[in-house]
Amino acid sequence: MSVTTSSQALAPAERAVQLLGGDLSEVALRRHLEGLPTVDAVGLEARAAKFGTRSIKTTSKAAALDLVIRMIDLTTLQGSDTRGKVRSLVAKALVPDASDPSTPRPAAVCVYGDMVGNAVAALGSAWSAGKDDGINVAAVATAFPSGRASITVKLQDTRDAVAAGADEIDMVIDRGAFLEGNYGKVFDEIVQTKDACRRDDGTYAHLKVILETGELVTYDNVRRASWLSILAGGDFIKTSTGKVQPAATLPVTTLMLQVVRDWERLTGERIGVKPAGGISTSKDAIKYLIAVAETCGEAWLDPHLFRFGASSLLNDVLLQRQKLTTGRYSGPDYVTID
Amino acid sequence: MTFLEYAPAPESTSILSLRDDYSLFIGGEWVAGGGERFASISPSTEQQIATFSSADEGDVDAAVRAARTAFRETWGPMSGRDRGKYLFRIARILQERARELAVAESLDNGKPIRETRDADVPLVAQWFFHCAGWADKLDWVGLGANPQPHGVAAQVIPWNFPLLMLSWKVAPALAAGNTVVLKPAETTPLTAMLFAEICEQAGLPAGVVNLVTGAGETGAALVRHPDVDKVAFTGSTAVGREIAKALAGTEKKLTLELGGKGANIVFDDAPLDQAIEGIVDGIFFNQGQVCCAGSRLLVQESIHDEVMDRLKERMSTLRVGDPLDKNTDVGAINSSEQLERITRLVATGIAEGGEAWSPACELPKEGYWFVPTVVTGVEASSTIAREEIFGPVLSVLTFRTPDEAIAKANNSPYGLSAGVWTDKGSRALAVADKLRAGVVWTNTFNKFDPTSPFGGYKESGYGREGGRQGMQAYLKAGK
């Protein structure tokens, strides 16, 4: 079976054809993915655990905490989300810590597609609207979190979110197709979703591809799915929806960082990584920064290339930040709930 | 300052309460030695830590006599169950004082606190716990019912893992019912002194553990002492050979754990990222001052360049410097003599056509330092592919087929350790089976466990430490 691609998204497909030696058939794709270096689970987990033994203090810690805030996609993804809830989330993004105006802002707010308009309105002039400064609006799409819908629905979901102003689209891959070994289908859907990210003016919303690593289970699967997503044109690879356990783990994120490092070595292109779900403490977040720095290098310590998908992480970072300034730990009532 | 530089995170030395001078520990007493005093310095600063006594022949004789008395009167007749209680108590105190021991070891040896804290000291406690469990179960050690201890064990240990090697020697000897006289290395006697304090704290009967510090002559006097029943030595092959000669024809039992030139074999289907970590752990752990270090990398020719690129990139993230900084990966070389040896051998390697590469890195002004180095273009006949360097220097050779890998790996006078990296289980087993090395690790390196026997082939020595086999080395077959 050959992989069909829509004409607008020829760039990643063409590149994939090149990498696969001129043959983008299902067989060639499979051979390519199965030819990637394998992963030894024990070794990967030992490496990840070692990142946790670094001791980040004083000036390093202060820099790390601010960086973590700038990398956060402040997220609410509940069935019960309302306009008021989104407004409240946006307000928190705008002023994370009223007691310290020097506190940086998170990279984006991440909401369901139907809430994009509300988020954009609430952000007002702080909305980046595709520019480098300001706060982005990220929308989950493609029948998030299960991805169980027709491709027509998934693409329309994406187009609606982009039309409403989403700067970033967090799509889910079809884990069923991946586990069936139907790599071509997964590839094709990513290519089509990327195409659906195209705006009228020819620019594209940033595409983050959620692998849902908790459902892929093995590290070899995670490596193949990561590589496949990048091959198909994903700008970011993201661990989880946050709806499945285990969500982001340090070993899985380390592996994905190794993949984007290898991709850069091969093509010169830099792809982003976003662990999401379950990272709620500064201590954990800093371990991820160490993994980034020691796997990909410091160039990746940038919100364009690394993000945290989180909701409760921000407040813990703010408490740690206050502690660095005042020398004392304050309580949970010294940061706001949203 | 960039993030990756990390702010300094030095471990405090205030937890230590060291004396300025240490004596010998004989028969439960601290006694001054008859020989000249010597100082131990911190390899990372060249500052003196404390001075120590040299034991002369008379002191060694007193120590052996004390051990003999304890063997005859207290430790020998004691039930295994009671011996076990003492050993468990020591193990628990080792854990309680873990941080203090980690700091002392790092200070005296120059190895990073990360390693003493996360590897050395936890393993030391594990070794005592493991052997304590054996003390009342010697009937199951594999030597028949009621096996008997040898008597007085003379033990001489090296400077690369001072406390860990002490535990490998003392724990099984005591569990089996022997008493010991141990000589720590001249450059790293500090933690042995702390161990003597722990023996006092545990109320261990006098004379069961005796420590004599000093240089080579002290060790020679100890292993030659006529009233010693068992000798255990870890150190250089040259000294091991001397000991074997001296003991030939006597009744004394001998185990030797000597040098090595471990082959670390990477096949083209290896889990690459983990193999790179394994190569790094294999040669840069403890600054490469490990007898079972994976110092000869055998990499399949088809992936040589890729492995080298990845390895160099990874080596660039290693942090060399103050061993007491919690973020240091590679610490100081133990002594100026050792640094000189490493420097000389690397120069030879380059002169013989090898190409050396090291990451850019600023070394402290004081102390003994050698930057992690990889030497490519090394051939089987090169000096640095044959001789043990005992430093952070990796020699890289290539191979084309599994048979060639096995042949090259075995083509060494040593045979202590080897590593195999492949994703194919059948290949891992087939290759491991043909490697003449005491330990073969698959998809990992430098892992130690008290339940696993460790020891060498050929010039890497004989006898095993750890596991059932390690216990057997301290026992005579039962009747």
Side-chain angles (χ1 to χ4, degrees), chain B residues 243-258:
Chain B
I243 294 175
K245 270 188 210 162
L247 264 57
T250 70
E251 293 277 296
K252 293 176 189 171
K253 302 288 177 211
L254 176 62
T255 46
L256 296 172
E257 200 262 276
L258 309 174

Side-chain angles (χ1 to χ4, degrees), chain A residues 224-289:
Chain A
R224 284 174 198 154
S226 300
W227 196 262
L228 181 64
S229 304
I230 299 171
L231 212 52
D235 300 303
F236 251 81
I237 47 176
K238 174 174 166 185
T239 61
S240 325
T241 59
K243 307 289 185 190
V244 169
Q245 286 301 320
T249 66
L250 196 50
V252 150
T253 308
T254 303
L255 172 57
M256 288 163 71
L257 287 163
Q258 288 168 346
V259 172
V260 302
R261 178 204 59 196
D262 288 352
W263 181 262
E264 191 210 15
R265 188 179 280 144
L266 191 69
T267 65
E269 280 177 13
R270 288 176 176 174
I271 303 295
V273 176
K274 177 179 170 185
I279 305 166
S280 57
T281 65
S282 309
K283 201 172 173 187
D284 276 346
I286 290 173
K287 289 179 192 172
Y288 282 82
L289 295 188

